[in-house]
Amino acid sequence: MQVPATFEYQRADSVPHALELLERYGPEARVVAGGHSLIPMMKLRLAQPEALIDINGLAGELGRIAVEGDELAIGAMVRHTELLESDTATGLFPIFQDAERVIADPIVRNRGTVGGSLCQGDPSEDLAAVFAALRATAVIQGPGGVRTVPVRRFHQGPYETAVAPNELLIQLRVPVAAGTGSAYEKVERRVGDWPVAAAGAVLRIEGGTIAQAGIGLTAVGAPHFCAPEAETYLEGRAPGEEAFAEAGRIAAEGCEPHADQRGPADYKRHLAAELTRRALVRAAGRS
């Protein structure tokens, strides 16, 4: 029988209250929102927090999706289903719909949160690649106030993020620009499974050339979930099959996939190249 170890439970009623509880209980406290990653780990006793701080009551503060100036703001408590069904988010960036529709299943999407997915820090996380491709910024709040971290520096290693034990991720901000297209491609063993490999692409095209490119990769050992060398190669070039195929090749070269139950390393590297190419083609068609 899977039974978690004993823990204290507190329900936060505001962001300042949540931060106060994190300070009170110290580094062995954990925040719970959707709980689809944390609770199974607790049941297996792979995680044994001394206290759980429930932030489900903060959806009013942290559950908004809105355009603010030249950025799309997505609260950390936005549920996957809410992002999938947001005309505001998916209208600007179809990559959100592409990715969210292949994350887990409706039960998980109804409860799991955007912030929880990023803070889990799993090397195969879909949204980490999406936000890396979008060059998003993470907004983090702690006792010292609010600070920002580029998503490409948010993940510091497997299951390690820039969020300190006494801080909360409160929002993701995505720059909005005209002429931008985006797409996400994923290969999985079963519907709703973690990816064998996946790639996201964001292209801003001006005057027939690529002004900016964003490529996100997951499950293939891409540092910080992105492919900067492939992005640099694309910028200033005309969009086209040849350029996209070469960018895929460059992106795959920068990956260090590991063989596991989902496939051998060479297969994953091949997928990184091919899925990058496909995502770029679809992104260009949407710009």
Side-chain angles (χ1 to χ4, degrees), residues 3 7 36-37 63 66 86 92 140 168 174 176 254:
V3 180
F7 59 89
H36 287 290
S37 297
S86 169
L92 288 168
I140 300 168
L168 281 177
V174 181
V176 175

Side-chain angles (χ1 to χ4, degrees), residues 135-253:
R135 301 177 186 270
T137 299
V139 183
I140 300 168
Q141 186 168 338
V146 175
R147 64 189 180 96
T148 59
V149 176
V151 162
R152 294 183 174 206
R153 291 292 179 265
F154 183 80
H155 294 99
Q156 300 177 340
Y159 306 100
E160 296 181 3
T161 75
V163 182
N166 60 351
E167 293 181 318
L168 281 177
L169 173 65
I170 61 171
Q171 192 180 73
L172 285 308
R173 302 188 71 87
V174 181
V176 175
T180 298
S182 61
Y184 191 72
E185 295 282 347
K186 176 178 177 177
V187 168
E188 54 198 339
R189 295 184 303 169
R190 299 178 298 270
V191 173
D193 199 3
W194 292 105
V196 177
V202 180
L203 292 176
R204 178 165 56 85
I205 299 175
E206 296 178 354
T209 61
I210 299 170
Q212 187 177 61
I215 297 173
L217 293 162
T218 191
V220 291
H224 301 291
F225 295 93
C226 57
E229 292 84 2
E231 294 166 349
T232 299
Y233 167 80
L234 285 171
E235 290 169 0
R237 297 179 183 272
E241 283 283 355
E242 184 176 340
F244 294 155
E246 178 63 10
R249 186 192 67 78
I250 295 170
E253 280 188 352

Side-chain angles (χ1 to χ4, degrees), residues 44-64:
L44 294 169
R45 301 208 177 188
L46 297 174
Q48 298 187 42
E50 295 178 3
L52 280 190
I53 299 169
D54 188 339
I55 61 170
N56 279 286
L58 309 188
E61 292 180 75
L62 306 182
R64 295 176 60 250

